[in-house]
Amino acid sequence: MHHVIEETLNQLQTQYPYQKEYLQAAKEILTSFDPIVERDPRLEKYQIIQRFVIPDRIIHFKVCWRDDKGNVQVNNGFRVQFNNAIGPYKGGLRFHKSVNESILKFLGLEQVLKNSLTTLPMGGGKGGSDFDPHGKSDSEVMSFCQAFMNELYKYIGEFTDVPAGDIGVGAREVGYLYGQYRKLVDRNDGVLTGKGLSFGGSLIRPEATGYGLCYFTKNALEKMNNTSFEGKNVSISGSGNVATFAADKVMQFGGKVLAMSDSDGVIYDKNGIDLKAVKEIKEGRRGRIREYLENHKDALFLDDPHKIWTIDADIALPCATQNEINEEDAKTLLKNGIIAVCEGANMPSTNEAAKLFIDNKIIYGPAKASNAGGVAVSGLEMSQNSMRYNWSREEVDAKLYSIMTNIFDNIYATAKEFNNPHNLLQGANIYGFKKVSEAMIAQGVN
Ligand code: NDP
Ligand code: 2IT
């Protein structure tokens, strides 16, 4: 390993020993930069590796709000502004009880490379709160979102930082957040993406991450394996925004979705998942996925989310959360003859699992490339807001398809250039880093 990479990783380990997700992402990314640090002495001369892996700033604030009983609740709020060398900070907000600085730093770091891969002018950031939306009423979610924005609005803007959704933040939350922002600053400038269609949202944004994941996977299946989704069995973890639209597109492409999940467990339906029923449970009632069994007598419930990887499938699309595929899960998938694992969630495979996929030469689509469709259409939403114009559904979908195809082609070409065509992870890291590092060097030490 190049000494610059080794020293940087050691320093992070010493400074942030408890930030395990951040250290994991930093290790995964920096170790793949080995050949380019050798090749380009400017990276060492200007300390680009160290400057790249540390966020520009972290904003940590207190969020106080009242629940329906009138009790005062207190949560932590964050915005990690990671890197704005190629465009305004851009990335989602996550509301989940597990949210902390480590998770948001890993997500922000990934976002910098992902946004660069889209080729649109967006820097990287991430934010959120340890607020748990499960079981909260609509008015509680609104109170929380308003209190969160009462702090966040000071740090965001159409040219500075443009947040969006992530786990626990969908159209409802973006609506409440945007409403409070507009009230506070008296500007309707589109500062969040994922907005409702009636106030500046883009067609296809809700579908974009799941559809984009399938467009990426379709390209990979064709160009690496000369095959397609047609007739393939697919496991999709999660049952939120990304998972449901991925399932929708897999079915449109002729695949069969055997299983989906939530944090309680897995539904397995050998007849193929009835997506309408899943959407009715999840979108309509915000219920639990095991309710699927009430109307689907052939389906089974497996009471551990990891068990989804024991189901014999051709393609796995992890669309729930980080580290949901560990080394054991990866071995099980490989033993069952999986041909492709393409990531809808961020960092769903541990570094050990990802290495197994790459070493075994299956198609492994790394998150920062395969799930970039969501932020890509967020970028297109920003363009439409700036133009005061809306593209049609077909126009946005065609642009998304072309962006995902380009991402695949660019990272595959880079993986081949570095003599490991199956290492799309290295391809994505190096290709994404190129534009960011060039911009940092060109803009001097600051
Ligand atoms: P949602 O909140 O819409 O859905 C999250 C889903 O994941 C829920 O079904 C949730 O179940 C499930 N889940 C959470 N933890 C676990 C677990 N440990 N095991 C199994 N299932 C779990 O979020 P999104 O669909 O938006 O996000 C999913 C992933 O995709 C995240 O990693 C996110 O960062 C990533 N992503 C999202 C993008 C977007 O545009 N929304 C863009 C790119 C990536 P439960 O209800 O039980 O919590
Ligand atoms: O992880 C991600 O790329 C997102 N949650 C979407 C970010 C965005 O700004 O649309």
Side-chain angles (χ1 to χ4, degrees):
M1 200 189 305
H2 193 284
H3 74 96
V4 166
I5 292 170
E6 200 169 349
E7 282 156 24
T8 307
L9 287 174
N10 286 342
Q11 197 181 339
L12 293 181
Q13 177 70 47
T14 311
Q15 277 182 312
Y16 308 106
Y18 302 112
Q19 298 194 350
K20 66 178 171 53
E21 294 86 1
Y22 172 54
L23 293 173
Q24 178 184 340
K27 187 172 173 199
E28 177 248 285
I29 292 168
L30 294 200
T31 50
S32 72
F33 288 164
D34 222 30
I36 53 169
V37 184
E38 280 308 334
R39 215 187 254 193
D40 184 350
R42 297 174 309 162
L43 297 176
E44 183 172 358
K45 185 172 174 198
Y46 299 117
Q47 291 268 37
I48 296 296
I49 298 293
Q50 198 182 23
R51 288 164 58 197
F52 167 78
V53 83
I54 297 172
D56 288 348
R57 70 188 64 79
I58 300 173
I59 300 145
H60 184 175
F61 49 91
K62 183 174 65 180
V63 187
C64 305
W65 57 282
R66 269 184 205 280
D67 65 21
D68 286 348
K69 295 192 182 109
N71 297 322
V72 176
Q73 303 280 348
V74 186
N75 287 98
N76 288 284
F78 303 89
R79 187 72 181 163
V80 178
Q81 297 184 326
F82 220 103
N83 186 307
N84 64 352
I86 65 169
Y89 302 110
K90 178 81 196 91
L93 297 170
R94 177 177 290 193
F95 292 170
H96 192 269
K97 58 183 189 292
S98 64
V99 162
N100 58 32
E101 217 173 278
S102 171
I103 289 181
L104 296 178
K105 279 167 75 179
F106 113 66
L107 288 163
L109 180 56
E110 285 279 294
Q111 198 81 46
V112 176
L113 293 174
K114 182 193 311 193
N115 294 2
S116 169
L117 288 173
T118 68
T119 70
L120 301 173
M122 299 181 289
K126 202 83 189 190
S129 173
D130 54 6
F131 171 75
D132 179 5
H134 288 115
K136 300 288 191 301
S137 70
D138 219 41
S139 71
E140 288 175 326
V141 170
M142 183 165 74
S143 296
F144 175 78
C145 288
Q146 292 177 341
F148 184 84
M149 188 51 81
N150 285 344
E151 273 298 320
L152 186 70
Y153 86 96
K154 300 167 194 168
Y155 311 105
I156 61 176
E158 59 183 316
F159 298 114
T160 43
D161 185 350
V162 183
D166 192 78
I167 292 180
V169 179
R172 174 181 62 163
E173 291 74 18
V174 169
Y176 294 149
L177 289 162
Y178 190 67
Q180 188 69 359
Y181 172 83
R182 186 178 49 74
K183 190 84 192 163
L184 288 165
V185 303
D186 213 9
R187 274 165 66 89
N188 198 331
D189 56 16
V191 75
L192 291 140
T193 59
K195 297 184 291 295
L197 283 181
S198 60
F199 54 98
S202 175
L203 288 159
I204 298 286
R205 177 62 188 89
E207 296 89 340
T209 313
Y211 279 18
L213 170 65
C214 293
Y215 297 158
F216 178 96
T217 309
K218 175 178 182 283
N219 270 282
L221 289 168
E222 282 168 12
K223 295 170 186 172
M224 295 177 83
N225 258 12
N226 199 21
T227 184
S228 72
F229 270 111
E230 190 66 46
K232 299 288 190 303
N233 288 325
V234 185
S235 294
I236 304 182
S237 64
S239 45
N241 170 270
V242 180
T244 47
F245 285 109
D248 181 12
K249 192 53 83 176
V250 165
M251 292 176 197
Q252 287 178 35
F253 282 158
K256 184 172 173 184
V257 179
L258 291 180
M260 295 184 75
S261 63
D262 65 16
S263 55
D264 292 342
V266 182
I267 50 164
Y268 170 48
D269 190 339
K270 63 178 179 358
N271 304 320
I273 293 284
D274 170 359
L275 189 57
K276 209 162 150 249
V278 172
K279 285 188 170 174
E280 192 275 324
I281 297 167
K282 285 290 172 184
E283 282 174 14
R285 290 185 278 113
R286 297 176 196 271
R288 306 310 299 160
I289 204 153
R290 58 151 54 95
E291 294 168 36
Y292 183 90
L293 266 63
E294 289 165 16
N295 296 311
H296 298 82
K297 299 298 169 207
D298 285 346
L300 298 173
F301 182 73
L302 317 174
D303 62 0
D304 170 0
H306 281 273
K307 289 192 179 151
I308 194 165
W309 313 125
T310 63
I311 293 167
D312 195 354
D314 305 301
I315 298 170
L317 303 177
C319 294
T321 194
Q322 64 274 358
N323 292 328
E324 54 171 316
I325 302 184
N326 60 31
E327 196 173 0
E328 278 316 299
D329 300 325
K331 283 181 186 157
T332 310
L333 285 165
L334 289 165
K335 185 161 62 67
N336 288 338
I338 201 84
I339 61 169
V341 177
C342 292
E343 300 178 334
N346 284 305
M347 204 169 76
S349 307
T350 62
N351 290 355
E352 295 74 24
K355 185 172 182 320
L356 276 174
F357 296 144
I358 294 164
D359 289 350
N360 281 275
K361 296 190 170 16
I362 64 156
I363 295 172
Y364 170 57
K368 65 194 79 144
S370 51
N371 77 23
V375 75
V377 174
S378 279
L380 300 178
E381 182 171 330
M382 291 163 74
S383 306
Q384 293 170 84
N385 292 169
S386 302
M387 291 191 292
R388 272 84 175 122
Y389 187 73
N390 299 315
W391 288 314
S392 68
R393 197 180 156 83
E394 291 70 27
E395 281 172 301
V396 181
D397 199 25
K399 288 182 201 302
L400 171 63
Y401 189 84
S402 133
I403 289 171
M404 297 314 296
T405 301
N406 285 334
I407 292 177
F408 174 78
D409 290 345
N410 289 334
I411 70 167
Y412 191 31
T414 309
K416 285 181 184 159
E417 185 190 332
F418 288 88
N419 298 322
N420 197 348
H422 281 86
N423 197 343
L424 297 179
L425 179 60
Q426 184 171 41
N429 286 337
I430 292 180
Y431 193 80
F433 182 64
K434 204 170 161 27
K435 189 168 152 193
V436 179
S437 56
E438 285 300 338
M440 289 172 73
I441 293 167
Q443 292 175 44
V445 180
N446 55 29

